Amino acid sequence: MTTVPHPASGPTTRSTPSRNRWQQVLLSCGLVSSVLWPLTAETLAALLYDDYDSRSQTVSELSAIGAPTRALLTVEGALYCALLVAFGIGVWRAAMGNRPLRVTGALLFTYGAMGPLWYPFPISARADIVPNTPMGLTDVMHIVLGAADTVLMLSMLGFGAMALGRRFRVYSLLTLATVVGFGALTFGSIPQVAAGEPTPWLGVIERIYLGAFLLWVAVLSVALLRSSTSQGPMRGGDGDDG
């Protein structure tokens, strides 16, 4: 008699762990991106930019025209964007039937993919700004891209709030409120920056706004990694999982 191999012994079962490992790698990219970006930016600022004051200057000024950190921050920014694109793919794949989570993944992918649009539009160094003159094209486009990124952030936080349960929803809404409040203060200081005027504490305010979002991405990454490891369902709703 001829013995027919059972289908479960074929390559499908051997490939499943590999797929799970790749999924965990993709989901880990969110956590890595949130640690890499601020650590690299602040370290480079401390080592290479003696005149930079993180309390009163924006993060964008680290990559301003003529800034000593511009070249390295451009490389680091490309890596950060690639990590976010990978994380967005991981979130999309993890979502399955969870529509808010799938939209969140698509928005993360878009946010990361938009990164190269910033490269042609660095802002002017504050020391080079001539008072009472119109902003140049690069400065205007930098502000436009900043506004577009903020809209994407808020959209991610909104859809993410519906994706993983009550605790994560509350946390996401608190993060959204932080981004709205401190983001408004940041954008409200644009006229002072454009005029080359001092902006005490603007650097702190902007870092709270950006840091809240980076932390949210890291928390989402960890939450999805835990669910992926336990192979629990990715679902929204009013459950207490989070």
Side-chain angles (χ1 to χ4, degrees):
M1 176 188 287
T2 302
T3 302
V4 179
H6 194 279
S9 64
T12 301
T13 56
R14 289 196 298 269
S15 65
T16 299
S18 177
R19 288 198 300 270
N20 289 340
R21 282 194 296 271
W22 275 112
Q23 178 67 3
Q24 290 173 8
V25 168
L26 291 171
L27 293 175
S28 297
C29 288
L31 178 60
V32 175
S33 70
S34 290
V35 174
L36 169 78
W37 186 80
L39 181 64
T40 304
E42 298 303 326
T43 300
L44 288 174
L47 293 176
L48 302 176
Y49 204 158
D50 293 335
D51 296 330
Y52 182 81
D53 181 5
S54 59
R55 291 171 300 178
S56 61
Q57 290 182 264
T58 65
V59 175
S60 292
E61 290 177 77
L62 289 171
S63 57
I65 299 170
T69 46
R70 173 164 170 73
L72 290 175
L73 264 256
T74 300
V75 174
E76 184 272 343
L79 179 57
Y80 171 73
C81 292
L83 287 168
L84 274 184
V85 166
F87 182 50
I89 294 172
V91 174
W92 173 278
R93 289 174 46 139
M96 297 185 181
N98 186 331
R99 184 171 297 177
L101 190 60
R102 176 155 288 192
V103 174
T104 303
L107 291 170
L108 279 161
F109 180 94
T110 303
Y111 183 79
M114 282 181 58
L117 296 178
W118 289 82
Y119 299 155
F121 305 113
I123 63 171
S124 301
R126 205 173 303 201
D128 297 332
I129 295 174
V130 179
N132 301 318
T133 58
M135 286 190 294
L137 174 63
T138 59
D139 293 309
V140 172
M141 287 303 301
H142 198 90
I143 294 170
V144 169
L145 288 170
D149 270 7
T150 301
V151 170
L152 284 172
M153 285 183 193
L154 297 177
S155 300
M156 280 182 256
L157 292 168
F159 281 100
M162 299 182 286
L164 294 182
R166 184 178 296 116
R167 285 183 297 176
F168 190 76
R169 177 162 64 248
V170 171
Y171 169 64
S172 297
L173 293 176
L174 289 173
T175 303
L176 190 149
T178 301
V179 170
V180 169
F182 285 88
L185 290 173
T186 300
F187 279 91
S189 299
I190 287 175
Q192 287 81 10
V193 175
E197 298 175 357
T199 50
W201 302 109
L202 176 59
V204 175
I205 291 170
E206 185 191 38
R207 281 166 172 80
I208 292 173
Y209 142 59
L210 295 175
F213 175 72
L214 291 172
L215 181 60
W216 181 84
V217 170
V219 171
L220 176 62
S221 174
V222 171
L224 294 179
L225 279 168
R226 288 174 56 192
S227 296
S228 175
T229 301
S230 64
Q231 296 188 358
M234 305 289 182
R235 64 181 186 277
D238 295 327
D240 290 328
D241 57 318

